[in-house]
């Protein structure tokens, strides 16, 4: 009894908020003690419903590209644009968006469209115009042009030296036409002198924008016309044109070029395989690595420009290849080139951009550390960064992009430039033709 009175006295001395709190706690404890759960009898449920979910409906988060869906860096982001010089701007502004591909063994039409990120809807419309389009053969040359919306404007299949198939976009799909070589091919020599920019000087000499683009790309690994061309340089070009009844038709294909840059003489000639070589038959191309790492890593998300968001169903392109690399994995330059960007981006994280000649650019995203700076020249296989998990990323990885002629392509499938010479069995014939062509161009410059 004394203990109860003592406790009551102590409680009476406590502030009112403390007394209220103790009262509430005591009530809750008493209620929990007195409460007894109602008894029940377990019953076995024999009714079972099976729901079938198709395998195609599953999409593992671990297999998504490492940027959260909907957060892919847009190409129109000014901070993510690739710098270009005056010549690059002129080529982009005036030349059509021409692309070429030589069919290799095992390739299909759909696979080629996938490599270059071309709309499959365009391919199906062309097949409606002429189903024979899908019957492509090894060694056949494909050419296409794109409009401002990256749709296929025209598509050409060089079936043989005699027959060519043409597909042209119309208001109702595509039109189809097969042409037969009926005229005579004649070489036309054009010459000029650089008085301002090479581009404008070549236009003045009679070359059209597409031919200038052919020349610039043929020499992109040997000579930079935008940076190295100088006032007073001289050049001569052979263009092969088709004549019917004495009248030139078609734009003509560049066959050879002789360029004099001070005491530096540059000569290239096109072989029957469509590639350019020097007078000794050496390739002008420099190979690019297929993979930007020393060892192979699992591809966690492949190139897919038509990927759909699994929830919204909207197109959310994945314009690169994601490799599941641990943080700190050395990242290697895919080829010789110049670093044009090495900076931070809110979505891409730390990223590096390397320009390889005039045609190719590579991008490396979400890096842990950058090992190069803008303006630095790098060589194939050189360490340029360490992979990481920076920016808006769901896990450690390397996002790698290959860009060809300002368009992302599938780096794992698209043909890469190979530094292979003219085959041994053809080198004698090629050398004879190339030396004679060089002699004629020298005469053209001296006349």
């Amino acid at each position: 009894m004394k203990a109860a009175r003592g406790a009551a006295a102590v409680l009476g001395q406590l502030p009112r908020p403390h007394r209220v709190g103790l009262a509430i706690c005591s009530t809750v404890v008493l209620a929990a003690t007195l409460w007894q759960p109602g008894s029940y009898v377990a019953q076995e449920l024999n009714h079972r419903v099976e729901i079938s979910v198709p395998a195609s409906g599953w999409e593992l988060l671990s297999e998504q590209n490492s940027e959260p869906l909907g957060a892919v860096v847009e190409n129109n982001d000014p901070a993510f644009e690739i710098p270009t010089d005056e010549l690059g701007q002129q080529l982009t502004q005036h030349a059509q968006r021409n692309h070429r591909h030589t069919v290799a063994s095992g390739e299909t039409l759909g696979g080629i469209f996938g490599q270059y990120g071309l709309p499959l809807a365009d391919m199906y419309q062309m097949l409606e115009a002429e189903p024979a389009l899908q019957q492509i053969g090894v060694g056949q040359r494909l050419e296409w042009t794109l409009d401002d919306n990256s749709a296929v404007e025209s598509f050409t299949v060089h079936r043989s030296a005699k027959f060519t198939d043409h597909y042209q976009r119309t208001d109702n799909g595509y039109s189809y036409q097969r042409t037969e070589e009926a005229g005579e091919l004649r070489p036309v020599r054009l010459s000029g002198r650089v008085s301002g920019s090479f581009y404008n000087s070549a236009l003045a000499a009679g070359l059209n924008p597409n031919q200038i683009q052919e020349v610039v790309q043929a020499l992109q690994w040997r000579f930079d016309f935008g940076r190295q061309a100088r006032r007073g340089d001289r050049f001569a070009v052979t263009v092969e044109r088709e004549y019917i009844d004495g009248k030139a038709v078609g734009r003509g294909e560049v066959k050879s070029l002789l360029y004099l840059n001070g005491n530096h003489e540059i000569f290239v000639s096109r072989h029957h395989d469509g590639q350019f070589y020097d007078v000794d038959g050496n390739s002008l191309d420099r190979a690019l690595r297929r993979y930007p790492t020393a060892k192979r890593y699992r591809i966690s998300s492949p190139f897919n420009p038509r990927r759909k968001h699994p929830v919204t169903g909207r197109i959310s392109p994945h314009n690169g290849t994601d490799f599941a690399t641990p943080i700190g994995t050395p990242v290697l330059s895919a080829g010789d080139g110049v670093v044009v960007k090495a900076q931070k981006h809110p979505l891409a994280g730390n990223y590096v951009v390397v320009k390889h000649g005039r045609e190719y650019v590579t991008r490396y995203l979400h890096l842990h550390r950058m090992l190069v700076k803008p303006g630095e020249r790098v060589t194939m296989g050189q360490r340029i960064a360490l992979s990481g998990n920076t920016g808006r990323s769901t896990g450690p990885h390397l996002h790698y992009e290959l860009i060809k002629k300002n368009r992302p392509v599938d780096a794992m499938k698209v043909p890469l430039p190979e530094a292979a010479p003219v085959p041994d069995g053809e080198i004698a014939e090629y050398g004879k033709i190339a030396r004679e062509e060089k002699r004629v161009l020298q005469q053209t410059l001296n006349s």
Side-chain angles (χ1 to χ4, degrees):
M1 194 68 176
K2 288 182 178 181
R5 285 197 297 270
V10 172
L11 289 173
Q13 295 175 0
L14 292 175
R16 186 173 183 276
H18 291 189
R19 294 200 304 272
V20 172
L22 286 173
I24 293 174
C25 291
S26 300
T27 302
V28 172
V29 172
L30 179 62
T33 303
L34 297 176
W35 177 76
Q36 295 291 332
S39 62
Y40 65 92
V41 178
Q43 296 182 354
E44 183 178 357
L45 297 177
N46 295 320
H47 182 65
R48 182 175 64 180
V49 178
E50 293 186 0
I51 301 176
S52 176
V53 178
S56 59
W58 290 91
E59 196 156 352
L60 300 178
L61 288 177
S62 62
E63 297 302 320
Q64 293 289 356
N65 66 299
S66 48
E67 302 88 14
L69 294 174
V72 179
V73 177
E74 298 291 342
N75 289 332
N76 58 4
D77 184 344
F80 210 58
E81 290 180 351
I82 301 170
T84 186
D85 56 15
E86 181 184 3
L87 178 59
Q89 293 172 357
Q90 290 172 324
L91 291 173
T92 301
Q93 179 180 358
H94 297 290
Q96 295 182 18
R97 298 181 180 180
N98 292 330
H99 300 263
R100 291 182 177 184
H101 178 90
T102 302
V103 180
S105 177
E107 286 189 321
T108 64
L109 184 66
I112 293 171
F113 268 65
Q115 291 174 25
Y116 293 94
L118 303 178
L120 289 178
D122 291 353
M123 181 187 74
Y124 293 134
Q125 288 184 341
M126 282 185 265
L127 287 170
E128 289 180 3
E130 175 50 58
L133 172 63
Q134 63 185 341
Q135 299 171 2
I136 56 176
V138 176
Q140 289 183 345
R141 212 158 29 93
L142 311 180
E143 297 180 358
W144 62 91
T145 62
L146 304 175
D147 62 18
D148 292 336
N149 297 318
S150 297
V152 179
E153 191 170 60
S154 65
F155 196 89
T156 301
V157 183
H158 295 275
R159 297 292 185 183
S160 65
K162 189 173 184 179
F163 295 105
T164 304
D165 291 347
H166 303 275
Y167 297 80
Q168 184 67 44
R169 178 180 286 278
T170 67
D171 293 336
N172 299 312
Y174 287 86
S175 64
Y176 165 76
Q177 180 184 16
R178 168 165 285 191
T179 60
E180 181 178 356
E181 196 75 38
E184 177 187 3
L185 293 178
R186 301 179 190 172
V188 176
R189 270 85 189 188
L190 304 174
S191 62
R193 183 185 296 270
V194 177
S195 58
S197 71
F198 170 75
Y199 186 89
N200 290 330
S201 300
L203 283 176
L207 276 71
N208 64 35
N210 294 324
Q211 292 165 341
I212 298 173
Q213 191 174 50
E214 283 186 327
V215 169
V216 170
Q217 290 177 358
L219 281 170
Q220 62 181 310
W221 306 110
R222 296 287 184 92
F223 187 80
D224 187 338
F225 283 98
R227 185 173 58 88
Q228 295 177 277
R230 296 288 182 268
R231 183 183 297 273
D233 288 356
R234 294 186 298 150
F235 58 90
V237 181
T238 297
V239 178
E240 194 169 58
R241 288 179 179 165
E242 181 185 3
Y243 284 79
I244 297 180
D245 297 330
K247 184 179 180 180
V249 296
R251 67 180 181 88
E253 186 176 64
V254 175
K255 304 303 291 185
S256 61
L257 164 74
L258 178 63
Y259 191 90
L260 301 181
N261 174 242
N263 296 325
H264 188 200
E265 183 180 81
I266 304 166
F267 172 80
V268 295
S269 180
R270 191 194 297 269
H271 192 35
H272 63 67
D273 61 2
Q275 303 300 314
F276 285 94
Y277 301 87
D278 65 17
V279 71
D280 296 318
N282 298 312
S283 173
L284 303 181
D285 284 338
R286 244 174 236 181
L288 290 174
R289 295 173 61 99
R290 182 73 70 183
Y291 296 89
T293 52
K295 59 178 287 189
R296 301 285 180 87
Y297 289 90
R298 180 177 63 87
I299 295 178
S300 57
S301 183
F303 175 84
N304 185 3
R306 292 174 295 277
R307 184 197 59 179
K308 289 186 177 181
H309 191 293
V311 178
T312 67
R314 297 177 180 176
I315 297 297
S316 181
H318 188 233
N319 290 330
T321 302
D322 285 351
F323 297 94
T325 55
I327 292 177
T329 300
V331 178
L332 312 181
S333 176
D336 295 359
V338 178
V339 178
V340 293
K341 283 196 175 183
Q343 60 189 50
K344 294 182 179 180
H345 188 279
L347 300 184
N350 297 326
Y351 76 101
V352 171
V353 180
V354 180
K355 189 174 182 180
H356 312 275
R358 288 274 167 188
E359 194 172 3
Y360 294 93
V361 171
T362 52
R363 283 202 280 232
Y364 314 80
L365 278 60
H366 305 297
L367 305 170
H368 174 64
R369 182 183 302 168
M370 298 173 286
L371 305 179
V372 291
K373 297 179 180 180
E376 185 175 339
R377 289 193 169 274
V378 294
T379 58
M380 181 191 300
Q382 178 179 334
R383 289 189 180 195
I384 58 175
L386 301 178
S387 69
N389 189 29
T390 58
R392 191 170 294 180
S393 169
T394 60
H397 75 288
L398 170 64
H399 175 96
Y400 171 61
E401 295 182 10
L402 175 63
I403 300 166
K404 181 178 181 180
K405 293 185 178 179
N406 297 318
R407 284 180 55 84
V409 296
D410 191 344
M412 300 298 101
K413 296 180 180 179
V414 72
L416 298 176
E418 298 179 359
V422 173
D424 291 341
E426 304 171 10
I427 188 63
E429 179 186 1
Y430 167 83
K432 181 180 179 180
I433 295 174
R435 286 190 293 272
E436 175 60 20
E437 184 62 32
K438 182 179 180 181
R439 185 189 66 80
V440 172
L441 290 180
Q442 287 173 329
Q443 287 183 343
T444 302
L445 285 179
N446 295 328
S447 62

